[in-house]
Amino acid sequence: MIMSHLSNLTGEITVPGDKSISHRSIMLGALADGITEVTGFLQGADCLSSISCFEKMGIMIENDQKTSTVKIHGNGLRGLKRPSETLDVGNSGTTTRLMSGILAAQNFSSTIDGDSSIRKRPMGRIMTPLSQMGAEFESLENDKCAPFIIHGKKLHGINYESPVASAQVKSAILLAGLFAEGQTTVTEPALSRNHTELMFEEFGVDIRISNSGKTSTVSPASKLSAQHISVPGDISSAAYFICAGLITPNSEITIKNVGINPTRDGILTVCKMMGANISLTNIKNDVGEPVADITVSSSTLHGCVIEGDIIPKLIDEIPIIAVMAAFAEGQTIIKDAQELKVKESNRIDVMSTNLSAMGVDVTPTDDGMIINGGKPLHGATIDSKLDHRIAMSFAIAGGLADGDTDILGAECVNISYPTFYEDLLRLNS
Ligand code: S3P
């Protein structure tokens, strides 16, 4: 797809619902007693994969795609049925890892498989702790990768020190902990997104969090109570408009009703460090997840260093941050972000290759990249590797480059933001 040129981005936009919260609403809704109603549910392919997997386990789910309202008819904590076919997670790492935590405790075996990207992603990181809790895993092709069979077992609680700051790992263990005998504790090296912990509280689960937030302890549950969940706009989707508004001349964009959970707001900190004109209004903290309207306008940005504990708070935004860095004066250094190598694509390689193709001075490193920004970009052919965040990042970079940019596999935005291109072009005057 050839990208349209961008100039004067102006107006208001509401981005689709948060992907992480949408997945969790299906899973906890399925395990609850009663009907969980979810508004603002993300109609992206990843979340639809979570719906179809739980439908295969006997859960009735009504999805009104027009209003993005989903009703999950929960079957209770022990109400999942053995699926008669493979659970197809598509491209979704969140479905794979979180659902594995639940499947590890069932009295049946199930098989998980997904697309070629999922088959390359590391699953040892959940197999290890869930096996320590008593579950059994069988990889069908490559060791510690999908496709794999989970043999559900009676689980017991563990005290797990996770080697990675990963909300998917943490959540898989905590979900398994709902069914385990005794308490289950997870400690992570840096705080990752805490949507599971917050949603556990809403559904009535006994979960305790340490002062640092890095240690969570769940007690076995006897029942979860159905909830009404209002999903805020996804800050990871808002990030494309935040950055586009900052680096496109003569622009001012307001993104309405965006989730600003402090475990997700690293992008806002980075924008401020780079000198952005950015403000938050209508901040509401009254529901489980805080939300705000975010307004940005064209800014003269400068490079910065992004490292340490902020990385998990902006891990999915690094591709668009790298684009922003290419448009900023001076050097931006991104480090401590090895996790980028095991996302939907190897995002260190794919970002560096594609930015270089557009004339950016970028050096990939083992745990991030170094970008010397401020030079004009030229159009190029960009291979998205079917990674939605790469396609969206280069839609912005390409729209601001001299000459044409052709994005291969552009339709993969469907994973997290099906109407991305239309929404972007609507702001383009
Ligand atoms: C997610 C956690 C993150 C993130 C992913 C969604 C979640 O992955 O990259 O897009 O919903 O828990 P990791 O847990 O692998 O860091």
Side-chain angles (χ1 to χ4, degrees), residues 60-375:
M60 214 243 278
I61 302 176
E62 298 169 77
N63 182 9
D64 182 344
Q65 303 217 4
K66 281 211 185 79
T67 60
S68 287
T69 301
V70 173
K71 282 186 191 158
I72 307 138
H73 296 249
N75 232 356
L77 202 57
R78 303 274 167 193
L80 295 180
K81 308 254 179 344
R82 187 181 74 81
S84 57
E85 51 184 309
T86 296
L87 297 169
D88 180 359
V89 298
N91 189 245
S92 176
T94 310
T95 310
T96 312
R97 298 200 177 105
L98 270 61
M99 188 169 66
S100 293
I102 296 171
L103 294 175
Q106 304 304 311
N107 58 6
F108 53 75
S109 298
S110 39
T111 305
I112 291 189
D113 199 3
D115 67 9
S116 58
S117 155
I118 274 292
R119 284 177 166 216
K120 285 191 229 131
R121 297 184 69 184
M123 295 300 157
R125 53 179 57 196
I126 51 154
M127 292 177 178
T128 299
L130 295 174
S131 302
Q132 285 175 14
M133 294 177 82
E136 275 175 32
F137 287 82
E138 217 182 302
S139 296
L140 295 175
E141 287 183 15
N142 296 320
D143 194 28
K144 300 191 166 63
C145 284
F148 58 86
I149 303 178
I150 305 179
H151 299 290
K153 298 280 174 209
K154 262 192 174 330
L155 304 182
H156 52 82
I158 55 169
N159 188 342
Y160 191 68
E161 297 260 348
S162 178
V164 277
S166 158
Q168 294 180 358
V169 171
K170 170 175 66 176
S171 301
I173 299 166
L174 293 175
L175 283 161
L178 293 176
F179 302 90
E181 201 177 280
Q183 292 191 326
T184 300
T185 297
V186 194
T187 302
E188 45 183 356
L191 177 58
S192 67
R193 64 192 67 192
N194 65 357
H195 305 298
T196 302
E197 297 91 306
L198 293 178
M199 209 181 278
F200 270 14
E201 281 169 7
E202 300 283 311
F203 277 77
V205 172
D206 177 6
I207 176 142
R208 282 164 217 187
I209 316 292
S210 68
N211 286 340
S212 68
K214 289 192 259 186
T215 300
S216 315
T217 300
V218 66
S219 300
S222 52
K223 89 178 188 103
L224 273 61
S225 309
Q227 296 298 311
H228 179 273
I229 298 170
S230 160
V231 182
D234 196 327
I235 193 167
S236 298
S237 297
Y240 302 98
F241 298 102
I242 294 175
C243 295
L246 295 174
I247 61 181
T248 307
N250 306 317
S251 297
E252 180 167 320
I253 307 176
T254 296
I255 311 127
K256 309 276 285 177
N257 193 44
V258 182
I260 52 159
N261 178 316
T263 63
R264 295 285 300 283
D265 70 354
I267 177 79
L268 304 179
T269 310
V270 166
C271 289
K272 286 177 200 149
M273 287 199 293
M274 295 179 89
N277 298 320
I278 183 165
S279 61
L280 269 57
T281 51
N282 289 331
I283 300 174
K284 285 186 221 140
N285 267 314
D286 46 344
V287 277
E289 296 272 354
V291 296
D293 297 344
I294 301 174
T295 301
V296 290
S297 57
S298 315
S299 304
T300 306
L301 301 179
H302 52 79
C304 68
V305 179
I306 306 168
E307 63 182 335
D309 284 2
I310 198 172
I311 294 294
K313 298 180 185 170
L314 48 67
I315 190 71
D316 291 344
E317 288 67 78
I318 292 179
I320 188 63
I321 288 174
V323 169
M324 194 161 65
F327 285 86
E329 288 299 326
Q331 189 169 70
T332 295
I333 303 175
I334 300 169
K335 41 185 177 176
D336 303 321
Q338 303 84 338
E339 279 293 298
L340 292 176
K341 292 183 185 166
V342 291
K343 294 295 177 189
E344 287 83 328
S345 68
N346 178 335
R347 289 182 178 159
I348 296 182
D349 276 6
V350 178
M351 282 308 298
S352 303
T353 306
N354 285 324
L355 284 174
S356 293
M358 299 186 83
V360 176
D361 175 357
V362 51
T363 309
T365 61
D366 191 48
D367 64 350
M369 57 198 106
I370 301 169
I371 296 164
N372 292 305
K375 278 200 304 177

